[in-house]
Amino acid sequence: FVKADEAGLWIKSKHQLASSKDFGKDLTSVEKAHLKTSTLLKEVESYESELTNLLADGIAKINELGGDSSFSEAIQTRNQSISNGYTNMKSAASLRLKSIQ
């Protein structure tokens, strides 16, 4: 669960920037916001393979346990939460970048 906890915290911290409504008040601050958001999207996209591996490890563990334990349910719940959080954060970052442009 340590890697899953780290992934959840990473997603939460990136979601804060991705969902920010502060686009800047002048050209310089708008350009900085654009650069930060572009950088965020690149970071998010580069993290995707690591996240995919983490989720696959969870599924493998569920299969190993036979899927009939409370531990399996906890892994499934955690996988779903991480996957949904990542998807929401990535969508928010994409929307933010489009809004700035």
Side-chain angles (χ1 to χ4, degrees):
F1 276 112
V2 173
K3 286 184 180 181
D5 289 342
E6 290 172 355
L9 290 173
W10 184 86
I11 290 167
K12 186 176 180 178
S13 70
K14 299 304 176 185
H15 196 275
Q16 289 175 346
L17 173 59
S19 60
S20 172
K21 301 299 181 200
D22 181 9
F23 300 113
K25 294 181 171 59
D26 57 27
L27 181 58
T28 302
S29 60
V30 170
E31 288 172 343
K32 284 182 182 180
H34 184 270
L35 179 61
K36 277 185 171 181
T37 306
S38 294
T39 302
L40 172 64
L41 270 175
K42 288 176 187 172
E43 187 178 353
V44 166
E45 289 169 358
S46 70
Y47 188 72
E48 192 162 349
S49 64
E50 186 175 334
L51 183 69
T52 299
N53 290 337
L54 174 68
L55 297 175
D57 288 347
I59 292 169
K61 190 64 173 175
I62 291 169
N63 292 336
E64 181 182 311
L65 294 169
D68 292 333
S69 71
S70 61
F71 191 60
S72 294
E73 289 178 24
I75 294 170
Q76 181 63 35
T77 300
R78 180 67 61 90
N79 268 12
Q80 192 64 45
S81 175
I82 289 170
S83 181
N84 289 344
Y86 180 82
T87 300
N88 292 340
M89 183 263 302
K90 187 175 179 181
S91 295
S94 295
L95 181 61
R96 177 175 167 78
L97 187 61
K98 288 178 185 174
S99 296
I100 293 172
Q101 292 177 334

